[in-house]
């Protein structure tokens, strides 16, 4: 009886140990597989980053593609598939959003507030149904976060305010690197911020530029904020009369749409992107990897930033 009990106990122990070994083996195999997959994904990303120069050169050299990003996206995806199976890209025009850095302008060796552009930003706030009681304070706080001086605007706040606020959301007193920095202003609630966030961007420039060849229903609000004398009927004319290969010149735009040129600020209008964001989606052995690059359409140092998420 006693020997039988010992035998059963021994067999049970062997089963338990076998089960533990099986679990450990699967875990080790799974971890090894994940590590190998991650290493492979890094290698692929490095290859893709090196390939970005070709993508930028293609967009710069081909005026048909840079005036029609949908066409460019299709053609680039076709070329990419032969070199990187499982990789696809989407292109996002960063010349159709309100550049927060345009709220300052260079003056001598510093950046100071740009009140003319501030009026246009208020237009965007109005079109976004942001409470007018917040307009001046929000704008002044953004001025103070971007300008180089330490003197607060009337409704603004410099670094000392944020230190005393407890959250230590220090303002950079320099151009924004990413639009998410506007959240440090702590003026709008989540719902209010959501109404304007998709209309904003931050690029390394203090200019306002809008690529009219990428105008659509999603960015029309920004366009109306920049050109307040226009209406939805004018937007419709621009979109419906746009040639397949895009508008080429300012005169071409005015002639084809019949829009009164006095309603437009010629200096704001461009016909190809200055900046684009490339959203990458890579399928590697069934695992999906997302990463992005914000790039300037110029030769040389064209990288603004890269990120591992959209």
């Amino acid at each position: 009886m006693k020997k039988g009990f010992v035998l059963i106990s021994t067999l049970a122990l062997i089963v338990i140990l076998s089960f533990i070994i099986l679990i450990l083996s699967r875990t080790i195999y799974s971890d090894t597989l994940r590590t190998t997959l991650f290493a492979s994904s890094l290698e692929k990303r490095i290859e893709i980053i090196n390939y970005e120069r070709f993508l930028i050169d293609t967009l710069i050299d081909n005026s048909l593609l840079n005036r029609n990003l949908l066409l460019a996206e299709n053609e680039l995806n076709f070329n990419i598939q032969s070199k990187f199976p499982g990789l696809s890209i989407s292109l996002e025009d960063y010349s159709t959003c309100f550049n927060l850095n345009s709220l300052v302008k260079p003056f001598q060796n510093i950046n100071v507030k740009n009140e003319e552009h501030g009026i246009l930003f208020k237009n965007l706030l109005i079109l976004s149904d942001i409470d007018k009681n917040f307009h001046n304070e929000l704008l002044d706080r953004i001025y103070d976060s971007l300008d180089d001086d330490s003197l607060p605007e009337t409704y603004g706040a410099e670094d000392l305010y944020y230190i005393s606020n407890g959250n230590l959301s220090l303002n950079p007193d320099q151009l924004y690197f990413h639009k998410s920095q506007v959240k440090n202003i702590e003026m709008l609630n989540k719902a209010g911020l959501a109404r304007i966030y998709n209309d904003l961007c931050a690029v390394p420039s203090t200019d306002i530029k809008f690529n009219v060849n990428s105008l659509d229903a999603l960015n029309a609000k920004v366009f109306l904020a920049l050109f307040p004398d226009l209406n939805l009927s004018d937007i419709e004319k621009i979109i419906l009369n746009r040639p397949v290969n895009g508008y080429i010149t300012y005169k071409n735009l005015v002639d084809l749409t019949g829009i009164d040129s006095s309603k437009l600020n010629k200096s704001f209008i461009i016909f190809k992107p200055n900046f684009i964001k490339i959203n990458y989606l890579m399928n590697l052995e069934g695992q999906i990897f997302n990463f992005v690059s914000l790039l300037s359409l110029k030769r040389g140092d064209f990288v603004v930033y890269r990120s591992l998420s959209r």
Side-chain angles (χ1 to χ4, degrees):
M1 181 75 177
K2 192 173 183 180
K3 290 182 178 179
F5 178 77
V6 171
L7 179 61
I8 292 171
S9 299
T10 303
L11 290 174
L13 183 60
I14 292 172
V15 170
I16 292 171
L17 289 175
S18 298
F19 181 69
I20 292 173
I21 291 171
L22 179 62
I23 292 175
L24 289 174
S25 298
R26 287 183 175 179
T27 302
I28 292 170
Y29 173 76
S30 179
D31 287 346
T32 302
L33 187 63
R34 279 198 295 265
T35 301
T36 303
L37 194 60
F38 182 72
S40 298
S41 73
L42 286 179
E43 291 177 5
K44 287 292 182 184
R45 287 178 215 173
I46 292 171
E47 289 181 42
I48 292 166
I49 285 172
N50 292 330
Y51 190 70
E52 277 183 345
R53 185 174 299 278
F54 170 77
L55 299 180
I56 291 299
D57 287 344
T58 299
L59 288 173
I60 291 174
D61 293 336
N62 193 320
S63 60
L64 294 181
L65 295 184
N66 60 44
R67 290 201 305 269
N68 187 333
L69 286 189
L70 182 59
L71 177 64
E73 186 177 298
N74 291 334
E75 182 160 326
L76 291 177
N77 271 312
F78 178 79
N79 293 333
I80 284 171
Q81 284 300 312
S82 62
K83 188 171 181 63
F84 301 102
L87 177 69
S88 62
I89 67 169
S90 61
L91 302 179
E92 190 175 338
D93 192 340
Y94 256 49
S95 299
T96 59
C97 43
F98 194 102
N99 177 22
L100 288 166
N101 291 328
S102 70
L103 292 173
V104 292
K105 60 184 177 182
F107 176 73
Q108 295 180 352
N109 294 322
I110 62 173
N111 286 323
V112 299
K113 67 178 179 180
N114 189 326
E115 293 181 280
E116 291 181 2
H117 291 181
I119 293 171
L120 303 179
F121 184 70
K122 284 186 178 180
N123 291 342
L124 181 62
L125 297 179
I126 292 170
L127 292 170
S128 303
D129 294 322
I130 302 297
D131 189 336
K132 288 187 178 181
N133 293 320
F134 294 125
H135 289 191
N136 288 332
E137 188 172 356
L138 174 61
L139 185 57
D140 279 358
R141 286 200 188 184
I142 296 176
Y143 283 148
D144 279 339
S145 69
L146 292 169
D147 64 22
D148 290 319
D149 64 49
S150 57
L151 301 175
E153 297 294 323
T154 304
Y155 300 101
E158 290 287 351
D159 287 348
L160 289 177
Y161 167 83
Y162 294 97
I163 292 175
S164 65
N165 196 31
N167 292 324
L168 296 179
S169 299
L170 295 180
N171 285 317
D173 287 334
Q174 62 186 23
L175 298 185
Y176 286 171
F177 179 72
H178 191 274
K179 68 177 181 178
S180 60
Q181 289 174 266
V182 77
K183 296 177 181 178
N184 292 338
I185 301 298
E186 296 183 335
M187 270 294 304
L188 298 177
N189 58 27
K190 188 175 181 179
L193 187 62
R195 285 199 289 273
I196 63 168
Y197 197 70
N198 288 339
D199 302 313
L200 305 177
C201 60
V203 297
S205 168
T206 57
D207 296 330
I208 284 181
K209 299 294 180 184
F210 194 102
N211 178 16
V212 72
N213 284 321
S214 291
L215 176 63
D216 59 23
L218 295 178
N219 53 49
K221 184 170 61 171
V222 176
F223 196 74
L224 289 174
L226 300 180
F227 307 100
D229 293 330
L230 297 180
N231 53 43
L232 290 176
S233 177
D234 295 318
I235 298 286
E236 189 177 65
K237 289 178 184 176
I238 294 173
I239 295 174
L240 293 179
N241 290 286
R242 183 166 54 212
V244 174
N245 295 328
Y247 297 108
I248 300 174
T249 63
Y250 180 74
K251 184 179 185 302
N252 182 226
L253 168 66
V254 172
D255 288 346
L256 291 178
T257 61
I259 292 176
D260 185 350
S261 61
S262 65
K263 294 181 179 181
L264 299 170
N265 185 332
K266 183 179 180 180
S267 66
F268 290 170
I269 295 176
I270 55 177
F271 302 95
K272 60 182 180 180
N274 283 344
F275 299 91
I276 60 166
K277 185 165 79 168
I278 303 181
N279 300 299
Y280 294 97
L281 191 150
M282 181 171 64
N283 186 330
L284 189 61
E285 297 182 24
Q287 296 293 315
I288 303 299
F289 296 88
N290 292 308
F291 47 102
V292 302
S293 292
L294 181 60
L295 309 173
S296 170
L297 280 191
K298 65 179 182 181
R299 302 191 197 280
D301 186 14
F302 56 83
V303 179
V304 179
Y305 69 74
R306 294 189 176 103
S307 171
L308 293 180
S309 64
R310 287 176 183 264

